């Protein structure tokens, strides 16, 4: 029997050959794995960038000049008063025109995002028109809560660089940057970023989520039918499209147009206070539905909604929010309104019905609720 051929190191030649083959296969497998991983990463990056590029980014942050004031602004004509007894007008003006308020001191971990619903009637032009809804979304990782604060549109506030007016006027004069300044100077609440959507974007969002179930009063239904008819004219839908099937109170499943009518209704119980509550009701339901969003719905949501959004967030900030969204969706959602009960009063200024505000009281409530632990 002949002796087995040895390598210089004393190892059988076939064993060394097998080892080299294994090393080559391992290297090939590693290279293929790296290539696949890189391809997946690039696909994700390009996909995310594809969606983020649909958003309208506002990088200006410039305030308008005082001589741009539109004196004929019609926002001073509003319907009935809503809250209790009026303050003396002289005292109201003194409070409103006092110096700028210091910002609320709180945790730097809190992110305040101003959500604005523009009443523009032109699709995709949320930067025009007045703010039909003003909601501050305050995300606090320390208390694990998200506070949703509605600002009532009839509040009489200081507007830096302009005469005092209702809080829904600044957006028309100087866009979101001026409205941010108004909220900071009147309530001391710092605004980190803003997001603006229009009527059409709101309807798309509700439809993608499959609609919402909402209990309605007969009074709310009557006002909603009026708004639905108005939207039919704007969208070119036939008269009578999407009208609710009954005028009787009850729980109804609402599509996007119907949910918009519900959120905009203010000629029913509660006036503007009731309207802000209805807006929070809709957002609360969408918040819950977002927890079960599937990939197809997510794709539809981003394709349809993102082009109608205007924001001063960067792509990096939006991506960070998306990555943390699962965590944020587990937070407690708290509903709030400014002015709080007992801190706002109806009065007349320049022959218009407005809400005077106890700013100090509301600043304290905002500080406790958003930055503290008060329930």
């Amino acid at each position: 029997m002949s002796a087995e051929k040895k390598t210089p190191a004393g190892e059988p030649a076939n064993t060394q050959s097998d080892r080299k083959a294994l090393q080559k296969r391992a290297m090939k497998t590693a290279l293929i794995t790296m290539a696949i991983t890189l391809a997946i990463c690039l696909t994700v990056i390009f996909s995310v960038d594809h969606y983020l590029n649909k958003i309208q980014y506002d990088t200006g942050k410039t305030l308008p000049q005082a001589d741009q004031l539109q004196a004929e602004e019609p926002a001073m004509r509003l319907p009935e008063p809503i809250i209790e007894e009026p303050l003396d007008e002289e005292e109201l003006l003194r409070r409103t025109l006092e110096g700028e308020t210091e910002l609320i001191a709180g945790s730097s971990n809190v992110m305040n995002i101003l959500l604005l619903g523009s009443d523009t009637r032109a699709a995709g032009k949320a930067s025009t028109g007045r703010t039909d809804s003003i909601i501050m979304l305050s995300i606090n990782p320390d208390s694990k809560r998200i506070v949703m604060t509605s600002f009532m549109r009839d509040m009489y506030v200081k507007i830096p660089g302009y005469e005092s007016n209702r809080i829904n006027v600044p957006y028309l004069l100087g866009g979101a940057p001026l409205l941010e300044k108004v909220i900071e100077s009147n309530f001391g609440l710092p605004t980190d970023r803003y997001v603006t959507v229009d009527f059409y974007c709101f309807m798309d969002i509700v439809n993608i989520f499959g609609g919402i179930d909402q209990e309605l009063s007969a009074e709310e239904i009557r006002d909603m039918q009026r708004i639905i008819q108005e939207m039919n004219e704007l969208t070119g839908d036939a008269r009578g499209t999407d009208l609710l099937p009954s005028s009787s109170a009850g729980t109804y499943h609402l599509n996007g147009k119907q949910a918009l009518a519900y959120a905009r209704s203010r000629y029913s119980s509660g006036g503007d206070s009731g309207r802000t509550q209805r807006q929070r009701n809709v957002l609360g339901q969408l918040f819950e539905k977002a927890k079960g969003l599937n990939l197809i719905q997510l794709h539809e949501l981003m394709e349809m909604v993102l082009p109608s959004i205007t924001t001063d967030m960067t792509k990096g900030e939006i991506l960070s929010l998306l990555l943390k969204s699962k965590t944020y969706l587990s937070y407690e959602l708290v509903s709030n309104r400014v002015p709080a009960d007992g801190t706002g009063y109806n009065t007349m200024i320049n022959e218009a019905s407005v809400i005077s505000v106890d700013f100090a009281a509301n600043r304290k409530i905002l500080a406790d609720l958003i930055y503290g632990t008060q329930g």
Side-chain angles (χ1 to χ4, degrees):
M1 191 171 181
S2 61
E4 188 178 37
K5 186 178 179 181
K6 300 285 187 178
T7 65
E11 186 179 44
N14 62 333
T15 302
Q16 187 182 54
S17 176
D18 289 344
R19 179 167 296 175
K20 287 181 178 179
L22 286 173
Q23 289 175 342
K24 286 181 180 180
R25 284 198 293 272
M27 180 66 71
K28 186 176 181 180
T29 301
L31 289 173
I32 292 174
T33 301
M34 288 175 62
I36 293 174
T37 302
L38 180 60
I40 292 174
C41 289
L42 288 174
T43 301
V44 171
I45 289 171
F46 286 129
S47 296
V48 170
D49 198 54
H50 163 76
Y51 291 122
L52 295 182
N53 283 335
K54 292 178 176 292
I55 298 172
Q56 301 178 56
Y57 294 95
D58 176 11
T59 58
K61 303 286 283 184
T62 56
L63 296 179
Q65 300 302 310
D67 59 6
Q68 294 175 314
L69 176 62
Q70 300 179 25
E72 70 279 10
E73 210 303 291
M76 290 301 286
R77 296 194 300 272
L78 281 181
E80 342 179 325
I82 62 159
I83 311 182
E84 301 154 28
E85 61 214 16
L87 284 178
D88 174 79
E89 183 169 335
E90 184 177 341
E91 170 63 12
L92 169 64
L93 291 173
R94 185 191 69 76
R95 292 189 188 189
T96 303
L97 299 175
E98 64 186 0
E100 287 197 4
T101 301
E102 291 185 6
L103 295 181
I104 295 171
S107 170
S108 60
N109 290 332
V110 174
M111 186 171 192
N112 292 319
I113 303 174
L114 192 59
L115 304 181
L116 304 175
S118 169
D119 69 356
T120 178
R121 268 58 174 173
K125 294 184 179 179
S127 58
T128 62
R130 290 187 296 269
T131 41
D132 205 56
S133 64
I134 304 171
I135 297 176
M136 186 71 80
L137 204 64
S138 303
I139 305 172
N140 189 334
D142 298 329
S143 62
K144 291 182 171 50
R145 66 165 42 165
I146 297 175
V147 180
M148 188 166 48
T149 302
S150 296
F151 291 82
M152 294 178 65
R153 56 183 277 172
D154 293 359
M155 290 190 297
Y156 194 70
V157 296
K158 302 184 299 290
I159 305 177
Y162 297 93
E163 295 180 0
S164 297
N165 208 313
R166 289 196 179 95
I167 198 170
N168 71 329
V169 174
Y171 186 77
L172 179 64
L173 301 176
L178 182 57
L179 181 54
E180 289 175 334
K181 188 68 175 174
V182 166
I183 291 175
E184 291 178 356
S185 63
N186 286 270
F187 298 98
L189 186 61
T191 303
D192 297 300
R193 292 290 183 263
Y194 81 86
V195 176
T196 302
V197 299
D198 58 26
F199 287 169
Y200 304 90
C201 181
F202 179 91
M203 291 189 290
D204 287 340
I205 292 172
V206 174
N207 285 333
I208 289 169
F209 278 102
I212 62 170
D213 294 317
Q214 185 61 51
E215 185 176 352
L216 305 173
S217 68
E219 188 179 28
E220 286 173 327
I221 292 174
R222 283 194 297 272
D223 197 31
M224 287 172 61
Q225 305 287 53
R226 173 187 63 81
I227 299 172
I228 291 171
Q229 290 286 33
E230 176 191 343
M231 292 306 302
N232 284 337
E233 293 179 11
L234 293 172
T235 57
D237 291 336
R239 186 172 177 80
T241 302
D242 293 320
L243 289 177
L244 294 171
S246 170
S247 59
S248 301
T251 299
Y252 291 81
H253 185 75
L254 308 181
N255 63 23
K257 190 186 297 178
Q258 294 163 340
L260 175 66
Y262 170 74
R264 289 184 59 208
S265 173
R266 66 191 303 243
Y267 295 111
S268 51
S269 58
D272 194 39
S273 175
R275 190 178 69 111
T276 61
Q277 181 60 59
R278 284 186 277 275
Q279 292 169 357
R280 295 194 299 275
N281 288 345
V282 174
L283 290 179
Q285 289 198 53
L286 296 179
F287 182 85
E288 290 301 317
K289 284 177 173 285
K291 297 177 181 180
L293 204 65
N294 60 44
L295 289 177
I296 294 176
Q297 289 173 315
L298 183 61
H299 169 74
E300 290 178 353
L301 181 68
M302 292 193 290
E303 284 289 334
M304 294 181 68
V305 171
L306 294 185
S308 299
I309 288 178
T310 301
T311 183
D312 61 349
M313 287 187 186
T314 65
K315 289 183 180 181
E317 289 170 334
I318 295 172
L319 182 58
S320 176
L321 283 176
L322 289 173
L323 293 174
K324 296 175 182 177
S325 60
K326 186 175 181 181
T327 298
Y328 292 153
L329 287 171
S330 68
Y331 286 4
E332 176 190 9
L333 186 63
V334 179
S335 181
N336 185 38
R337 187 196 75 221
V338 172
D341 290 341
T343 66
Y345 310 87
N346 182 76
T347 192
M348 299 292 294
I349 294 182
N350 298 331
E351 301 182 351
S353 172
V354 297
I355 300 172
S356 64
V357 180
D358 184 336
F359 293 107
N362 281 280
R363 284 194 293 269
K364 183 179 186 309
I365 291 170
L366 288 169
D368 290 342
L369 193 58
I370 294 173
Y371 297 97
T373 56
Q374 176 181 317

